[in-house]
Amino acid sequence: MNILVINAGSSSVKYQLFNMKQETVLAKGRVERIGMETAILVHEPAGKSDVSEVSEILEHTSAIRRVLDILVSKDHGVLDSIDQIDAVGHRVVHGGESFKNSVLVDEDVKKEIRRLFDLAPLHNPAHMLGITAVEVNMPGVPQAVVFDTAFHQTMPSHAYLYPVPMALYRKHKVRRYGFHGTSHKYVSERAAKFLGRPLEQLKLITCHIGNGCSCAAVLGGVSVDTSMGLTPLEGLMMGTRSGDLDPAIVPYAMAKEDLTLSEISSMLNKHSGLQAISGLSSDMREIVEAMEAGDKNAALAFDMYEYRIRKYIGAYAAAMNGVDAIVFTAGVGENSEVLRKKVCQQLTYLGIELDEERNRSGRGTEKAITTEASSVQVLVIPTNEEWMIAMDTYSLVQAD
Ligand code: AMP
């Protein structure tokens, strides 16, 4: 069975085509700048050379058409016919309280995703465009939706409620939802396999540290708390997002700087985090490089970023009354040995003993970066959200 995984954004579509039996990626790629005359399709077929094409692609239906065309093209294709795609799985950011698991798309599911547009105005409408574009181009092919929020739907009410008037929750569903759920779930399952222990018996803290950053407390395979909230703005300091701050800063800054709601929202989402403190970049590679060259603002940005990760690890060890393993994943978590080292060096109270050589070597592989004697294992597990989406889609289609 071949499954096409789609991550549709407002002006982009990322895709990966999997052969489920062989557990291989047949092709992956992306269309960017949808809506423009100079849209670009970058296609990476397995066993053939990569290709990029610039052309006018004005909306998502044409973008998906281009992807399907290239998947079956003579020179760059990996399939004989589109009929060889058995199902499509979509990443959907917000499933609200309605979706605790991945589901097959039907009219009710689409209605519910639309109802959730308010909670994820930048993401869910774009995902719906992706679903509709597949319907138009591949009528009758089953589609599944896999939600970033679903894994965290197991949080208890004392973790997901905010201490504000309950009317906000009852009337408007204001609560913690959490995001990156597909990644937290994937690395939790991989961590249990790596440790050779049943997931049901483990207390894990998973740290998804990429452009967006979140930690999760995973108790017995179930998310019991996570750092992102109603939106992906809460929690850790990120590339351009502030993460946690005193909510009183919002009206205060608005009054002092004469900002509108949309300006303050843009400030906190797009002009804060590493970018704001370093005054340099939102990219951890550039921050580390500048810090090592003696840039004080870059060093401050790094310290704040690292400190906040460490505080969440402490909080979640407390939330679960202990921790067996801490997992680092995503762009920064998988690649920045400097960040992992700094975090681990300050967690000796948990019995963590870093193995510097292990921390340095084996990039891109699953590994422990602690010594055998360390009482808590620290792991690096490359995330693979696309594979998880393909697996969920596969299971749903098989069960249908
Ligand atoms: P993601 O959102 O998971 O794709 O992560 C993207 C981020 O990972 C980039 O913005 C970089 O800050 C970070 N990153 C990628 N490679 C490295 C590296 N070698 N060292 C430090 N950070 C990295």
Side-chain angles (χ1 to χ4, degrees):
M1 183 182 276
N2 297 321
I3 291 181
L4 180 64
V5 171
I6 303 262
N7 183 356
S10 54
S11 64
S12 69
V13 169
K14 294 192 195 121
Y15 63 93
Q16 254 186 63
L17 179 66
F18 292 93
N19 178 316
M20 300 308 290
K21 206 166 154 202
Q22 291 167 1
E23 301 192 4
T24 51
V25 177
L26 297 175
K28 63 179 173 180
R30 59 190 187 276
V31 184
E32 286 168 348
R33 300 205 292 254
I34 298 173
M36 297 174 69
E37 284 172 14
T38 54
I40 181 161
L41 165 69
V42 178
H43 178 67
E44 301 172 24
K48 295 185 178 179
S49 47
D50 299 354
V51 58
S52 64
E53 293 175 353
V54 176
S55 64
E56 180 181 88
I57 300 179
L58 294 180
E59 29 65 51
H60 286 65
T61 304
S62 314
I64 296 288
R65 183 75 251 157
R66 289 292 304 118
V67 171
L68 297 176
D69 284 347
I70 205 152
L71 284 172
V72 297
S73 79
K74 194 164 146 287
D75 293 336
H76 312 294
V78 291
L79 300 173
D80 296 327
S81 144
I82 291 306
D83 298 342
Q84 290 173 312
I85 300 177
D86 301 285
V88 177
H90 294 266
R91 174 197 180 211
V92 175
V93 163
H94 220 306
E97 289 189 324
S98 321
F99 298 107
K100 302 194 185 322
N101 291 297
S102 306
V103 289
L104 287 173
V105 175
D106 61 17
E107 287 310 313
D108 289 341
V109 167
K110 286 193 283 185
K111 205 163 127 196
E112 195 55 27
I113 295 172
R114 283 195 200 96
R115 210 180 57 76
L116 294 166
F117 278 5
D118 264 2
L119 282 174
L122 299 179
H123 293 98
N124 276 24
H127 304 321
M128 267 313 297
L129 291 175
I131 293 168
T132 309
V134 170
E135 268 173 4
V136 172
N137 283 297
M138 308 168 75
V141 172
Q143 300 192 70
V145 275
V146 178
F147 301 93
D148 276 18
T149 48
F151 180 58
H152 302 300
Q153 277 295 301
T154 46
M155 282 187 288
S157 51
H158 65 257
Y160 73 67
L161 284 174
Y162 292 107
V164 293
M166 282 297 278
L168 282 181
Y169 173 59
R170 280 198 293 266
K171 282 163 63 184
H172 306 297
K173 294 291 170 205
V174 170
R175 52 160 286 178
R176 176 183 311 285
Y177 290 96
F179 299 88
H180 295 142
T182 312
S183 177
H184 288 293
K185 184 173 181 214
Y186 175 78
V187 299
S188 299
E189 291 175 2
R190 295 300 313 170
K193 286 214 169 74
F194 184 91
L195 295 167
R197 293 177 58 187
L199 183 56
E200 296 69 31
Q201 290 172 15
L202 286 173
K203 295 173 178 178
L204 300 173
I205 299 173
T206 50
C207 308
H208 179 109
I209 315 290
N211 269 327
C213 305
S214 67
C215 283
V218 183
L219 182 61
V222 161
S223 172
V224 291
D225 205 351
T226 189
S227 57
M228 283 180 167
L230 174 75
T231 74
L233 181 57
E234 193 184 346
L236 297 170
M237 176 170 161
M238 312 181 206
T240 64
R241 282 172 250 172
S242 63
D244 294 337
L245 42 75
D246 179 351
I249 291 172
V250 173
Y252 189 79
M254 284 175 78
K256 292 287 180 194
E257 291 283 313
D258 197 18
L259 300 174
T260 63
L261 269 178
S262 117
E263 284 167 343
I264 190 96
S265 170
S266 166
M267 177 196 278
L268 298 175
N269 278 290
K270 298 184 184 150
H271 306 288
S272 294
L274 286 175
Q275 173 77 59
I277 302 300
S278 70
L280 182 75
S281 172
S282 61
D283 191 311
M284 184 52 87
R285 283 165 290 203
E286 289 183 44
I287 299 293
V288 171
E289 215 177 281
M291 177 173 76
E292 286 170 352
D295 185 318
K296 289 203 166 51
N297 294 332
L300 175 62
F302 180 91
D303 287 348
M304 288 170 67
Y305 187 92
E306 178 275 322
Y307 177 62
R308 285 170 174 236
I309 295 171
R310 194 152 36 92
K311 282 210 293 186
Y312 265 101
I313 290 174
Y316 289 165
M320 294 188 290
N321 191 20
V323 54
D324 297 303
I326 297 167
V327 185
F328 282 100
T329 192
V332 181
E334 289 167 30
N335 295 303
S336 182
E337 58 186 67
V338 187
L339 179 84
R340 294 192 302 256
K341 178 175 168 180
K342 189 82 191 291
V343 171
C344 290
Q345 278 175 338
Q346 303 283 334
L347 292 176
T348 48
Y349 77 98
L350 285 175
I352 287 178
E353 207 175 277
L354 182 73
D355 182 320
E356 298 220 15
E357 181 47 37
R358 287 178 174 177
N359 187 38
R360 262 194 304 272
S361 60
R363 184 167 283 195
T365 58
E366 295 182 353
K367 62 177 179 178
I369 59 168
T370 32
T371 64
E372 301 300 329
S374 183
S375 38
V376 172
Q377 291 294 302
V378 180
L379 311 179
V380 179
I381 310 259
T383 194
N384 196 343
E385 292 159 278
E386 292 78 12
W387 174 246
M388 202 73 187
I389 294 172
M391 287 286 285
D392 274 12
T393 305
Y394 181 74
S395 309
L396 286 165
V397 172
Q398 295 282 84
D400 192 36

